[in-house]
């Protein structure tokens, strides 16, 4: 697979205006005022988040990891705080059929060294059957701990695609915060860096100047071609955004044996291939 962008030898449409350094500095200072206000508002929101009430949950419920069933309390690893990412799962699907958005999120936090240094543990939870999950984790080369929460209710189990935080007080466990959708972008540093670039994420929803490059047009699973919100989540062997049957989440192309496959494995009776 090509690890470089498509040929950019031709000039892309739309570029920032060229000015002298003094004019650029003035425009930058004006934007900086807005950025600082945004930062301060984020600080205020974080302060309010720390003042949220919490709900006690049963920390003795068992999740399944590499050593078999363990109580949820063990995920704290003796620390007082725990952050978990709840990864979506498609039963019976091959690696390339797993959630591209969740793959993107999990890939950006391969370990939790800096969290651990602040007394916070981290784990990934998913509803997949543990044998499937273990194989996937090994293929991806993830080093953070993963656990199956199959059959458990929210907030430990239930719907996935959430970033959740928990607090421990001895043997008591409390859920303190949850977010989903774009709230999980805080884990994904690549999106923040793309937001700093002239062309941004190049997604259909962005507010761009007139004449800016159009969002990437990719092929969907049903063969339709059009602009997609998250074109970089799933690519083909040439590194092009593609949601077709031979594509896979972009990070998977760096893994050994990541060859095109004939099906995403999300349709038909794949769920019946493995027993509960």
């Amino acid at each position: 697979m090509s690890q470089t962008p498509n040929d950019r030898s031709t000039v892309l449409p739309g570029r920032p205006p060229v000015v002298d350094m003094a004019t650029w500095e003035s425009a930058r200072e004006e934007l900086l005022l807005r950025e600082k206000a945004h930062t301060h508002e984020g600080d205020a929101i974080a302060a309010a988040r720390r003042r949220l009430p919490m709900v006690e949950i049963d920390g003795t419920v068992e999740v399944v990891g590499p050593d078999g069933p363990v109580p949820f309390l063990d995920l704290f690893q003796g620390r007082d705080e725990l952050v978990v990412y709840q990864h979506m799962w498609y039963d019976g699907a091959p690696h390339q059929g797993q959630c591209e958005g969740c793959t993107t999120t999990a890939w950006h936090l391969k370990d939790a060294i800096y969290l651990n240094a602040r007394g916070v543990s981290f784990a990934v939870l998913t509803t997949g059957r543990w044998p499937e999950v273990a194989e996937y984790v090994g293929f991806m080369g993830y080093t953070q701990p993963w656990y199956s929460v199959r059959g458990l209710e929210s907030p430990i189990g239930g719907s996935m695609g959430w970033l959740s935080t928990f607090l421990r007080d001895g043997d008591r466990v409390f859920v303190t915060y949850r977010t989903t959708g774009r709230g999980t972008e805080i884990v994904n540093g690549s999106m923040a860096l793309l937001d700093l670039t002239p062309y941004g994420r190049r997604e259909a929803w962005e507010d761009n100047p007139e004449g800016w490059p159009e969002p990437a047009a990719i092929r969907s699973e049903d063969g339709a071609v059009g602009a997609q919100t998250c074109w970089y989540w799933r690519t083909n062997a040439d590194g092009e955004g593609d949601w077709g049957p031979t594509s896979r989440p972009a990070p998977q192309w760096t893994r050994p044996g990541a060859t095109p496959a004939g099906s995403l494995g999300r349709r038909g009776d794949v769920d019946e291939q493995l027993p509960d």
Side-chain angles (χ1 to χ4, degrees), residues 117 138 150 209 222 270:
R150 193 175 189 85
D222 60 6
V270 292

Side-chain angles (χ1 to χ4, degrees), residues 18-88:
V18 179
V19 297
D20 59 71
M21 181 58 72
T23 302
W24 181 85
E25 289 282 6
S26 176
R28 173 69 189 95
E29 289 296 324
E30 183 178 345
L31 180 61
L32 181 61
L33 294 176
R34 297 179 62 188
E35 289 182 334
K36 290 299 183 183
H38 182 265
T39 298
H40 294 157
E41 177 61 16
D43 291 341
I45 292 173
R49 188 181 296 118
R50 291 191 292 272
R51 289 166 171 79
L52 282 174
M54 60 186 183
V55 178
E56 186 167 6
I57 63 173
D58 184 3
T60 67
V61 298
E62 292 187 332
V63 299
V64 180
D67 298 321
V70 297
F72 182 72
L73 189 64
D74 283 13
L75 275 58
F76 285 82
Q77 300 175 323
R79 301 182 178 94
D80 292 332
E81 296 180 277
L82 170 68
V83 175
V84 303
Y85 181 68
Q86 290 159 306
H87 195 290
M88 295 180 184

Side-chain angles (χ1 to χ4, degrees), residues 86 125 127 149-160 162 178:
Q86 290 159 306
L125 311 180
T127 57
V149 294
R150 193 175 189 85
L152 299 183
E153 296 182 355
S154 178
I156 296 175
S159 62
M160 298 286 101
W162 293 80
R178 300 188 76 197

Side-chain angles (χ1 to χ4, degrees), residues 243-263:
W243 290 64
T246 61
S247 65
R248 63 196 313 139
Q252 292 194 8
W253 288 108
T254 67
R255 311 311 304 153
T259 56
S263 172

Side-chain angles (χ1 to χ4, degrees), residues 26-255:
S26 176
R28 173 69 189 95
E29 289 296 324
E30 183 178 345
L31 180 61
L32 181 61
L33 294 176
R34 297 179 62 188
E35 289 182 334
K36 290 299 183 183
H38 182 265
T39 298
H40 294 157
E41 177 61 16
D43 291 341
I45 292 173
R49 188 181 296 118
R50 291 191 292 272
R51 289 166 171 79
L52 282 174
M54 60 186 183
V55 178
E56 186 167 6
I57 63 173
D58 184 3
T60 67
V61 298
E62 292 187 332
V63 299
V64 180
D67 298 321
V70 297
F72 182 72
L73 189 64
D74 283 13
L75 275 58
F76 285 82
Q77 300 175 323
R79 301 182 178 94
D80 292 332
E81 296 180 277
L82 170 68
V83 175
V84 303
Y85 181 68
Q86 290 159 306
H87 195 290
M88 295 180 184
W89 193 263
Y90 294 94
D91 284 343
H95 302 325
Q96 73 274 8
Q98 295 305 334
C99 178
E100 47 282 316
C102 289
T103 299
T104 302
T105 301
W107 188 260
H108 280 80
L109 190 52
K110 293 186 179 181
D111 61 56
I113 292 173
Y114 284 99
L115 290 178
N116 297 165
R118 287 293 183 267
V120 181
S121 292
F122 177 80
V124 181
L125 311 180
T126 189
T127 57
R129 303 175 181 90
W130 179 249
E132 291 183 73
V133 174
E135 184 179 347
Y136 181 72
V137 170
F139 171 77
M140 294 299 295
Y142 289 135
T143 57
Q144 69 270 47
W146 280 59
Y147 295 91
S148 171
V149 294
R150 193 175 189 85
L152 299 183
E153 296 182 355
S154 178
I156 296 175
S159 62
M160 298 286 101
W162 293 80
L163 193 63
S164 303
T165 62
F166 300 85
L167 179 67
R168 180 179 70 91
D169 182 6
D171 290 336
R172 300 178 69 189
V173 175
F174 305 84
V175 58
T176 61
Y177 178 73
R178 300 188 76 197
T179 186
T180 190
R182 292 194 63 191
T184 65
E185 285 184 5
I186 192 171
V187 179
N188 192 333
S190 294
M191 290 185 182
L193 292 176
L194 286 170
D195 286 341
L196 301 181
T197 64
Y199 295 134
R201 304 183 190 186
R202 298 189 67 185
E203 296 183 356
W205 60 269
E206 288 182 292
D207 180 5
N208 288 321
E210 185 72 24
W212 235 235
E214 293 294 326
I218 67 172
R219 181 168 57 89
S220 63
E221 288 185 58
D222 60 6
V225 177
Q228 297 290 328
T229 298
C230 299
W231 59 268
Y232 45 80
W233 282 0
R234 183 172 285 277
T235 62
N236 60 24
D238 296 321
E240 301 166 335
D242 188 349
W243 290 64
T246 61
S247 65
R248 63 196 313 139
Q252 292 194 8
W253 288 108
T254 67
R255 311 311 304 153

